[in-house]
Amino acid sequence: VQLQASGGGLVQAGGSLRLSCAASRGTSASRVLHMSWFRQAPGKERDVVATISRNAGTTDYADSVKGRFAISRDNADTLYLQMNNLKPEDTAVYYCAWRLLGRSGYDWWGQGTLVTVSS
Protein backbone atom coordinates (compact mmCIF):
# COMPACT_ATOMS: atom_id res chain seq x y z
CA VAL A 1 0.00 0.00 0.00
CA GLN A 2 1.23 3.45 -0.90
CA LEU A 3 -0.23 6.69 0.35
CA GLN A 4 0.51 9.75 -1.72
CA ALA A 5 0.29 13.10 0.01
CA SER A 6 0.10 16.31 -1.96
CA GLY A 7 -0.94 19.94 -1.70
CA GLY A 8 1.88 21.42 0.31
CA GLY A 9 3.59 24.64 -0.63
CA LEU A 10 4.57 28.13 0.43
CA VAL A 11 1.86 30.40 1.79
CA GLN A 12 1.77 33.64 3.72
CA ALA A 13 0.52 33.75 7.27
CA GLY A 14 -3.26 33.90 7.29
CA GLY A 15 -3.51 31.95 4.08
CA SER A 16 -4.98 28.53 3.36
CA LEU A 17 -3.89 25.23 1.89
CA ARG A 18 -5.63 21.94 1.28
CA LEU A 19 -3.67 18.73 1.59
CA SER A 20 -4.76 15.50 -0.04
CA CYS A 21 -3.74 11.90 0.55
CA ALA A 22 -4.71 9.15 -1.86
CA ALA A 23 -3.99 5.46 -1.67
CA SER A 24 -2.56 3.47 -4.53
CA ARG A 25 -5.07 2.04 -6.97
CA GLY A 26 -6.86 -1.03 -5.80
CA THR A 27 -6.20 -0.42 -2.13
CA SER A 28 -9.05 -1.43 0.12
CA ALA A 29 -9.60 0.67 3.21
CA SER A 30 -12.06 -1.76 4.75
CA ARG A 31 -9.66 -2.60 7.58
CA VAL A 32 -8.77 1.01 8.33
CA LEU A 33 -9.83 2.32 11.71
CA HIS A 34 -8.34 5.79 11.71
CA MET A 35 -6.94 8.14 9.11
CA SER A 36 -4.68 10.87 10.40
CA TRP A 37 -2.44 13.74 9.51
CA PHE A 38 0.85 14.16 11.35
CA ARG A 39 3.44 16.87 11.02
CA GLN A 40 7.09 17.20 11.82
CA ALA A 41 8.80 20.56 12.13
CA PRO A 42 12.58 20.85 11.84
CA GLY A 43 14.26 19.56 14.98
CA LYS A 44 10.99 18.39 16.50
CA GLU A 45 9.17 15.12 16.89
CA ARG A 46 6.36 14.02 14.63
CA ASP A 47 3.02 14.88 16.19
CA VAL A 48 -0.54 14.05 15.27
CA VAL A 49 -2.52 16.99 13.91
CA ALA A 50 -5.93 15.54 13.13
CA THR A 51 -7.67 12.19 13.01
CA ILE A 52 -10.87 10.92 11.48
CA SER A 53 -12.58 7.64 12.19
CA ARG A 54 -13.16 5.97 8.86
CA ASN A 55 -16.49 4.42 9.77
CA ALA A 56 -17.96 6.79 12.34
CA GLY A 57 -16.61 9.97 10.81
CA THR A 58 -15.71 11.41 14.18
CA THR A 59 -12.79 13.80 14.24
CA ASP A 60 -10.16 14.89 16.70
CA TYR A 61 -7.65 17.72 16.53
CA ALA A 62 -4.52 18.88 18.26
CA ASP A 63 -5.26 21.92 20.38
CA SER A 64 -2.92 24.02 18.27
CA VAL A 65 -5.04 23.62 15.13
CA LYS A 66 -8.59 23.49 16.51
CA GLY A 67 -10.84 25.92 14.74
CA ARG A 68 -8.38 26.38 11.88
CA PHE A 69 -7.91 22.91 10.35
CA ALA A 70 -10.54 20.46 9.16
CA ILE A 71 -9.96 16.80 8.33
CA SER A 72 -12.27 14.92 5.99
CA ARG A 73 -12.37 12.03 3.58
CA ASP A 74 -14.41 11.22 0.51
CA ASN A 75 -16.08 8.03 -0.64
CA ALA A 76 -12.92 6.95 -2.40
CA ASP A 77 -11.05 7.18 0.91
CA THR A 78 -9.00 10.13 -0.19
CA LEU A 79 -8.04 12.01 2.93
CA TYR A 80 -8.00 15.81 3.12
CA LEU A 81 -6.76 18.45 5.48
CA GLN A 82 -8.12 21.94 4.97
CA MET A 83 -5.82 24.39 6.69
CA ASN A 84 -7.01 27.95 7.22
CA ASN A 85 -5.49 30.93 8.97
CA LEU A 86 -2.07 29.37 8.72
CA LYS A 87 0.64 30.51 11.07
CA PRO A 88 4.43 30.34 10.76
CA GLU A 89 4.45 27.70 13.49
CA ASP A 90 2.44 25.44 11.19
CA THR A 91 5.53 25.08 8.99
CA ALA A 92 6.37 21.39 8.82
CA VAL A 93 6.36 18.29 6.69
CA TYR A 94 2.87 16.86 6.80
CA TYR A 95 2.28 13.12 6.63
CA CYS A 96 -0.88 11.12 6.18
CA ALA A 97 -1.21 7.76 7.86
CA TRP A 98 -3.72 4.95 8.24
CA ARG A 99 -4.21 2.85 11.34
CA LEU A 100 -5.69 -0.60 10.86
CA LEU A 101 -8.27 -2.33 13.04
CA GLY A 102 -6.68 -4.16 15.94
CA ARG A 103 -3.38 -2.32 15.62
CA SER A 104 -1.93 0.04 18.19
CA GLY A 105 0.10 2.12 15.77
CA TYR A 106 -0.08 3.43 12.23
CA ASP A 107 0.90 0.95 9.58
CA TRP A 108 0.68 2.91 6.35
CA TRP A 109 2.34 6.26 5.82
CA GLY A 110 2.54 8.76 3.02
CA GLN A 111 5.81 10.29 1.93
CA GLY A 112 5.14 13.74 3.35
CA THR A 113 4.43 17.11 1.84
CA LEU A 114 6.13 20.32 2.94
CA VAL A 115 4.10 23.26 4.16
CA THR A 116 5.94 26.52 4.66
CA VAL A 117 4.18 29.52 6.16
CA SER A 118 5.94 32.85 5.87
CA SER A 119 5.35 35.69 8.29
Side-chain angles (χ1 to χ4, degrees):
V1 174
Q2 287 186 330
L3 301 180
Q4 182 73 35
S6 61
L10 174 64
V11 63
Q12 288 187 331
S16 298
L17 283 175
R18 189 192 195 203
L19 305 183
S20 300
C21 176
S24 51
R25 181 182 295 183
T27 298
S28 171
S30 61
R31 294 185 297 125
V32 176
L33 177 63
H34 291 142
M35 297 175 167
S36 298
W37 287 97
F38 290 75
R39 68 184 181 187
Q40 187 168 20
K44 295 188 177 181
E45 295 185 351
R46 187 178 299 185
D47 293 321
V48 61
V49 174
T51 297
I52 186 168
S53 170
R54 180 181 180 272
N55 292 330
T58 53
T59 58
D60 191 36
Y61 297 92
D63 288 342
S64 58
V65 306
K66 282 181 180 177
R68 300 187 298 121
F69 290 12
I71 189 171
S72 63
R73 70 166 187 89
D74 63 19
N75 289 337
D77 289 311
T78 298
L79 184 66
Y80 301 98
L81 185 66
Q82 178 66 43
M83 305 185 294
N84 299 325
N85 190 23
L86 282 160
K87 304 176 181 180
E89 51 264 42
D90 294 318
T91 295
V93 177
Y94 284 72
Y95 301 88
C96 56
W98 289 5
R99 178 186 170 193
L100 302 181
L101 288 165
R103 304 281 290 179
S104 60
Y106 285 80
D107 298 275
W108 299 340
W109 290 84
Q111 85 288 1
T113 185
L114 176 62
V115 172
T116 303
V117 184
S118 63
S119 57

